[in-house]
Amino acid sequence: MNPKQALATFKTFPQIETSRLVLRKIKPSDANDLFSFMSDGETLKNNLMSPHKKIAETDKLIKNLTKQYDRKREIRWGVTIKGSAAIIGTTVFYNMHPMEFQTEVGCVLAKQHWSGGIMTEALAAIITFGFDKMAFNRITSFILPDNIGAIRMVKKVGFREEGLLKECKYSNNRFYDLGVYSLLKKDYIQQPGLS
């Protein structure tokens, strides 16, 4: 598959199912679900995002997600548990460069669902989609050095540490270091249970 063929996946939003989860399009009617964790400072602290103070911020975010998808720049899935329509987190391909065969990946999960393997399952699913349907050769994740849970999660699905970018991110009036983790398609293919 070449990158131009991969862009055909944008004709219809790609819903993904796993054994426990449904990853689906985020709609305006999901605003209350998103606001419940996007307004929580503890949930967002490792994402360097400011908590939403009003639901209007969440409404604006959802509109922006739709624009980014329509422009083929980003795919952000709402993470739901099968049997429930409530979104409990998001996972995303952003800074996508299909013609260069690469993307970045990120995620947010409501704190009450941490440590249950939910985001590991969601991440593994979108990685498979990215390599099989989007023709990516490289998927990168940038993580705060003290975010041990996220580091453990990406390593669990095969990412390897590449190094540390010193003071490369400016947020909340300070600079942050970010660890660089990546997964290449050739390494993904060799992993039992992921490909």
Side-chain angles (χ1 to χ4, degrees), residues 157-190:
V157 296
F159 281 68
R160 296 179 181 172
E161 185 174 3
E162 291 188 342
L164 184 69
L165 298 176
K166 301 291 286 183
E167 297 189 2
C168 71
K169 177 73 175 177
Y170 184 75
S171 180
N172 305 316
N173 298 313
R174 61 169 283 199
F175 292 98
Y176 291 86
D177 300 341
L178 289 177
V180 184
Y181 297 82
S182 71
L183 179 58
L184 302 181
K185 186 170 186 177
K186 65 183 180 182
D187 297 324
Y188 153 84
I189 289 171
Q190 295 171 5

Side-chain angles (χ1 to χ4, degrees), residues 77-115:
W77 288 269
V79 178
T80 68
I81 296 174
K82 281 184 175 176
S84 171
I87 290 179
I88 59 171
T90 68
T91 187
V92 59
F93 285 146
Y94 67 103
N95 288 339
M96 296 193 311
H97 299 282
M99 302 310 288
E100 296 175 10
F101 303 93
Q102 61 181 306
T103 189
E104 295 170 29
V105 67
C107 57
V108 177
L109 183 66
K111 66 185 178 188
Q112 60 266 37
H113 295 283
W114 290 355
S115 302

